[in-house]
Amino acid sequence: METEVLIIGGGATGLGLAWDLALRGIDTILIEQGDFGHGTSSRFHGLLHSGGRYAVKDPVSAEECIRENVILKRVAAPCIEDTGGWFVHLTADDPDYPGRWLTACRRTGIPVQERPVHELLALVPALTPKVDQAFHVPDAAIDGFRLLRALAYSARQRGVRLMTYTRAVSLMQKEGRVEGAVTEDQRTGQRREIRASLIVNASGPWAAEVAAMAGIRIDMRLDKGSLLIFNHRLSGQVINRLRSPGDADIVVPADTVSILGTTSVPVASPNNPLPSATELLHMLALGEELFPSLHEYRVIRAFAGVRPLYDADESGGSAGREVSRTFSLLDHAVRDGLEGLVSVVGGKLTTFRLMAEKTGDLVAQKLGVTVASKTAVTPLSLPEPRSVSVFMPDKGTEDAQHMQSEVRNDREGRKTKQPTGTVICDCEAVTLGDLHAALAEVPDGDLNDLRRRTRLGMGTCQGSFCSFRSAAALYQGNEFPVQRANVMLQELVQERWKGVRLVLWGEQLREAEFMQAIYKRLLNLARLDANGKRI
Amino acid sequence: MANEFDVIVIGAGFAGLAAATAAANGGRVLLLAEGLGFIADLPSTIELYGYLPPRPGHVVRPWDELAGLMQYRDHPYAKIPARVLEQSLNMFVEAASTMGLAYEGDQDQNTLLAGPAGVPRPAYLAPYTMAPGRVDDRSPALVVGFDVHKDFYPEYLVANLNRFRQISGLGEEWRAAVIHVPGQQARGLNSQELATMMQSPAFRRHVIAEIRERLHTETRVGFPAIFGLDAQGTRQVYQELTVGLDRQVFEIPTLPPSPPGIRLAGEWLRYLQSKGVKVSLGFRVMGVTAENGRVTGVLVNTPARASTYRCRSLVLATGGFWGHGLSGLATGEVKESILGLPVRPVMPPEAWGEDRVLAPQPFVRFGVATNAYLQPADEHGNTLYENVFVAGRLLGGYDPYEEGCGEGVSLASGYYAGSLALSAGAVGD
């Protein structure tokens, strides 16, 4: 295969760049080792920062955040719930901090409004009464999965070739120039060469590994952040604790749930980050300072992400929350004398578009393209849903039913209707039509790929019902062997368990016993014929 | 006195219902429960002993294995005399038959029945609506489903079941047919909603006509378990489908809610009431009063003001974590919910679960330690309350989901606890 630009990494930065280059008319291929966002872009608390968190310590990052906050609310509106947010000061916290913070916000252009505490407590009754100052900021909730889906869909509409489950195994070099990459399909093992005029390493926490394939060293500061998901919205708006940034001081509402985060723990590897029990208990204790009845709420799962931090001065002195959240663009021709390779490192989800724009500028300049970035003014689009799950009163029931059904052939060749409005995932209101639409985007996709595109299984029951329903309904409507449906079913219940298993206490321990009854007593999944032998 | 009972049973799952049935034989009994627990979610078949993990394959003759099990001190079956286990099953079969829900078995052997995913599961007893669906004989069946039913997928079920039948050398394949349900909002219906629809004669006529068109030479027709929510309605649907299709018909379990479970629980409660048991559902037990190592009364959070019911003895059949009989804290403490009884085994919270969801999970074995008479005991074996008896999943020491013995343990321990509670109350006179 050949292309002008090969992007390695399908997180927000890589897909954002793909979208940026597509709008400039530059031929692009993107490869991602897992599914889109299987790394950091889906493992954060879903906060679209106002910049307030960084105003005091990291003003460059704060300025980037507030600019991008305004732009993304315009161009990525379907992925954002513009909840607004608050910085709350507790009586016991540093009394001098709010003053310094306000000055810093003013300097960085973050619009802050001090409001009466009782107004906030009326909006968020679960919050501690120990709040003595409350400031409203333009924080918002952003759905990472939906954002990636919109970026991928928009980029693909403009001709970008996107390849998931495709990993770069080596970079091809000739005479001081990177000429392409050898890739491997993670499912079939098939290898192929992709030749490119320019390769962009946008692999987030894997950036050092990719650069190492070209013999280049990048010093990343990998930093794990753990998060807890609660079964409903503790607050309809983002709550930040107004003090020097620390652990468990942000709560973000995300669709039907809330996310409490984070921690900051240096890690050696970007692969499979998991929260530790100590971290989770520590977060619960701190979270209770903000929400005193937190222990009574049900925690539905825990997860962790790896921040791909990069210290621009590379002196090696700082770590974790000390490292700036701004990003760096490394032109390896200038930095290391190697043509054809650029790395974009650091940054955060809120600033992904800016990272993509700046990287796009460098790419365009190298390729002699003069078209400027258009991502700040071009709205992203999402695929149209294939089912209408509301009853249409002017249509009459039979008509509405017909409009919401797909006619298919059953396995005996008879025409059968499959109602696409059937709700497969009750917690997140995902219909069969939604799953079909997502499957059209990833024809080889499994249920976890569909989950990331539809929120299937992400709600309170964590797959207890919808794992079986989705596997069985998709088998019934599609031509694939039953063993494939069985493998997908077992993989989804296992993937959901991974996060539930970390929070086996309270009401979630109760749900866990329910899962055992459903998966074993009722469905007997351990004896499901997933590999052609067992039953 | 209106509020005085010989035996109070807390919990209305298999264990609580069995305990109340046993105690109703001569005692004034109160059955208290917040909800129905698993009984309304699960198939209502009786699993006595289905698997002996890690041994592959299922147990064919559970009684042969039970003899060996009696040696494992922690397993609830080890505490229940074989004759009591037999009596409890006889009691259940007799009571169910009186309720109009006859249960059937294959002499003393397990029968393989299909689950919703088409994986067979050994049952010792099954309601007459399910027993004819055994999958381990040669006669083929047509499995029927409904296009709007989100909790039952006949093509998927049959595909898995046929792989089992093929591997087992069991002749003809089963077939699947999806019936169109006209005039339904396409949000999808659950089994309880379809069970209600099945009560309509017009809907049944539609179903019969559609199926007759799809039938080949099959001698049996399997349906999702939606025949009805009570015994009479179920009998009516069962008979009409049998006559209308001129075939043996049977039910196959679905995802919850489970009409056969709702049916059994409802009929059993009515049966108990007909035996003079007072039933109070929907209220949470707040605590007990106790004197000299005996529980003397139960405090219930009834509307307007709390009620106290006095008792001579108490059966705790409140279930495991799902039933709210046990609760676990993030700090690693596990408690029995009503009396705060100690829970065994004690292990650090990281060890409560296994990384693989389908591996045996330690937390499902947690329970209240008891002596040989199901009385709660401390770590030295001293009885904590001499008039309290523990039954069902709350006992712990076994894995009902892995071993396929949930209903068996609950019936036997419930029956035993109910009988012991009744005689303990009598001794107290």
Side-chain angles (χ1 to χ4, degrees), chain A residues 389 401 408 412 421 423 426 469 476 486 494 497 501 506-507 510 513 516 520-521 524 527 529, chain B residues 51 120 151 156 160 163 175 184 186-187 321-322 324 328 350 353-355 357 359 393 401-402 407:
Chain A
S389 46
Q401 159 103 2
R408 62 164 184 111
E412 294 181 355
V423 178
D426 290 303
R469 285 182 190 152
Q476 208 144 286
N486 293 347
Q494 178 56 36
W497 178 250
R501 190 245 174 283
E507 285 297 295
R510 183 173 183 238
E513 184 156 357
Q516 288 293 303
K520 291 177 176 169
R521 165 68 170 91
N524 215 348
R527 291 176 179 79
D529 180 20
Chain B
Y51 297 106
D151 292 329
Y156 179 62
N160 274 324
R163 288 191 55 78
R175 287 172 56 239
Q184 279 306 310
R187 298 276 299 175
F321 294 105
W322 174 251
H324 269 158
E350 306 89 81
E354 280 293 326
D355 289 342
V357 65
R393 165 64 187 89
Y401 320 114
E402 289 278 334
E407 292 82 11

Side-chain angles (χ1 to χ4, degrees), chain A residues 4 24 26 198 360-371:
Chain A
E4 279 193 273
R24 299 186 204 234
I26 296 173
L198 187 63
D361 288 346
L362 179 64
V363 169
Q365 179 209 321
K366 281 182 175 284
L367 298 174
V369 174
T370 55
V371 185

Side-chain angles (χ1 to χ4, degrees), chain A residues 500-514:
Chain A
V500 173
R501 190 245 174 283
L502 299 166
V503 295
L504 287 182
W505 65 73
E507 285 297 295
Q508 199 60 347
L509 183 52
R510 183 173 183 238
E511 184 74 25
E513 184 156 357
F514 181 73

Side-chain angles (χ1 to χ4, degrees), chain B residues 11-33:
Chain B
F14 272 98
L17 293 166
T21 309
N25 263 330
R28 277 182 52 76
V29 180
L30 170 66
L31 179 70
L32 289 171

Side-chain angles (χ1 to χ4, degrees), chain A residues 419-467:
Chain A
T420 52
T422 299
V423 178
I424 297 291
C425 167
D426 290 303
C427 304
E428 296 287 337
V430 179
T431 65
L432 185 56
D434 294 332
L435 294 182
H436 283 162
L439 198 58
E441 289 167 46
V442 268
D444 305 327
D446 60 28
L447 290 178
N448 280 310
D449 295 325
L450 301 190
R451 171 179 64 80
R452 284 180 285 263
R453 283 162 182 79
T454 60
R455 297 190 64 84
L456 172 78
M458 290 203 188
T460 46
C461 95
Q462 291 288 301
S464 309
F465 290 78
C466 60
S467 302

Side-chain angles (χ1 to χ4, degrees), chain A residues 265-345:
Chain A
V265 181
V267 286
S269 159
N271 298 315
N272 307 318
L274 274 182
S276 70
T278 326
E279 274 178 279
L280 298 181
L281 291 179
H282 171 63
M283 278 208 287
L284 273 183
L286 283 172
E288 272 183 22
E289 294 176 17
L290 276 174
F291 292 92
S293 56
L294 200 65
H295 58 276
E296 289 167 19
Y297 290 89
R298 175 165 147 210
V299 179
I300 57 176
R301 65 190 282 120
F303 66 103
V306 177
R307 300 183 186 93
L309 303 181
Y310 175 73
D311 196 354
D313 71 10
E314 298 202 57
S315 60
S318 48
R321 294 215 164 86
E322 299 299 316
V323 181
S324 168
R325 296 307 196 250
T326 189
F327 63 92
S328 299
L329 192 51
L330 311 179
D331 182 348
H332 296 295
V334 178
R335 182 181 181 263
D336 309 284
L338 181 66
E339 293 285 347
L341 182 66
V342 167
S343 294
V344 52
V345 291

